[in-house]
Amino acid sequence: MRIYEVADYQEMSRCAANLISAQVLLNPRSVLGLATGSTPVGIYSQLIEWYRKGDLSFAEVQTVNLDEYHGLAPDHPQSYRNFMQQNLFDHIDILPQQTHVPNGLAKDAAKECARYEALIASLGGIDLQLLGLGHNGHIGFNEPAAAFAKETHLVELTESTIEANTRFFESRESMPRQAFTMGIKTILGAKKILLAVSGKEKAEAVYRSFAGPVEPGVPCSILQFHPDVTLVGDAPALSKLKAAGVRICRK
């Protein structure tokens, strides 16, 4: 595992985007696993800038997203499909049919989960998976639990996640209570994993994920078992790891 400390969110975004662009330049037909939320916005903005400068093309890239709210149409303002269109896809040369997000309106959840797993397999798996980190250690919508969820599944959102995401909706009542998410086994199947974190409020989750035991109560801790993980974080987010003496490189 490689851990890089950067100065701030802007530098974290640039560093993570650089690793993604290197993946695409080395393999223009890469399959990228993508994340949503506040953390990757700066990363996507940087990738768009490099695309507009002519430094990068996504014409042959395939993407698969981590998750999607159950019950939201693709064009709903708070759907993750809409998030990806607004923050990345509409601004680069990727082909629409090569961008994949779980179908939030699927009536048969089990069938949709099986379809998404089969899709990822048909693409040859994920070459690089981008992840953010929740305050409780969740990745995707894999919440703390008694056991690690394996493959793509429909999850009941925890109260802490609902509380954290309600600000994006008109009211608490209008926020979905379920979401489709890749499972831990699916995420670990990626050849490379890139975890981006920023802010002091993530310091405890980072510490528990990489300086504590591997346990389903801290879903991100499972990444300790992956052979190729890169963590890019700003100084506040990595503060507890540094205090514990974990080896960190300055980027």
Side-chain angles (χ1 to χ4, degrees), residues 11-24:
E11 190 177 349
M12 181 214 71
S13 298
R14 185 176 179 86
C15 180
N18 191 47
L19 293 171
I20 295 172
S21 66
Q23 172 67 41
V24 174

Side-chain angles (χ1 to χ4, degrees), residues 24-219:
V24 174
L25 290 170
L26 287 171
N27 178 11
R29 301 186 70 182
S30 289
V31 178
L32 301 179
L34 300 180
T36 54
S38 57
T39 298
V41 170
I43 299 171
Y44 297 151
S45 178
Q46 182 64 75
L47 291 173
I48 292 168
E49 180 181 332
W50 287 334
Y51 161 70
R52 288 174 173 168
K53 287 181 177 178
D55 297 332
L56 197 58
S57 172
F58 296 86
E60 297 181 88
V61 166
Q62 298 266 0
T63 68
V64 287
N65 261 76
L66 275 170
D67 40 34
E68 177 61 285
Y69 286 117
H70 186 218
L72 296 192
D75 59 354
H76 187 284
Q78 299 306 327
S79 77
Y80 286 159
R81 161 59 77 176
N82 186 64
F83 175 97
M84 293 306 305
Q85 295 298 144
Q86 297 294 323
N87 287 281
L88 183 63
F89 297 155
D90 286 347
H91 309 285
I92 57 176
D93 60 344
I94 195 166
L95 297 176
Q97 64 268 30
Q98 292 175 192
T99 65
H100 308 285
V101 181
N103 177 14
L105 294 181
K107 296 186 182 301
D108 188 328
K111 186 175 181 180
E112 173 59 13
C113 293
R115 181 196 71 81
Y116 207 62
E117 284 291 321
L119 167 68
I120 294 170
S122 74
L123 297 175
I126 298 167
D127 292 303
L128 185 152
Q129 176 66 60
L130 173 64
L131 297 174
L133 176 63
H135 294 84
N136 61 1
H138 76 249
I139 46 177
F141 274 125
N142 293 284
E143 301 282 3
F148 290 110
K150 293 183 178 180
E151 298 180 334
T152 300
H153 59 289
L154 184 67
V155 64
E156 298 288 336
L157 302 181
T158 64
E159 284 301 312
S160 62
T161 295
I162 292 170
E163 188 67 32
N165 291 357
T166 291
R167 69 186 189 277
F168 300 116
F169 292 83
E170 292 182 0
S171 66
R172 183 182 178 87
E173 291 69 32
S174 65
M175 182 178 165
R177 265 41 182 182
Q178 296 178 314
F180 289 108
T181 185
M182 288 185 197
I184 295 297
K185 180 181 177 182
T186 311
I187 293 170
L188 289 181
K191 299 176 183 70
K192 301 177 184 178
I193 292 177
L194 171 59
L195 178 66
V197 292
S198 177
K200 186 177 181 179
E201 67 277 8
K202 298 293 180 71
E204 179 66 20
V206 172
Y207 174 80
R208 294 182 65 199
S209 295
F210 299 107
V214 174
E215 57 173 324
V218 185

Side-chain angles (χ1 to χ4, degrees), residues 3-15:
I3 304 175
Y4 295 118
E5 179 188 341
V6 296
D8 52 26
Y9 176 81
Q10 184 176 2
E11 190 177 349
M12 181 214 71
S13 298
R14 185 176 179 86
C15 180

Side-chain angles (χ1 to χ4, degrees), residues 3-7 11 233-235 238 242 248-251:
I3 304 175
Y4 295 118
E5 179 188 341
V6 296
E11 190 177 349
D234 60 18
L238 301 183
K242 290 180 68 177
I248 295 173
C249 301
R250 175 68 179 154
K251 194 67 173 175

Side-chain angles (χ1 to χ4, degrees), residues 222-243:
I222 195 71
L223 298 188
Q224 294 181 42
F225 288 154
H226 194 280
D228 193 345
V229 175
T230 300
L231 168 59
V232 179
D234 60 18
L238 301 183
S239 58
K240 290 196 173 185
L241 274 188
K242 290 180 68 177

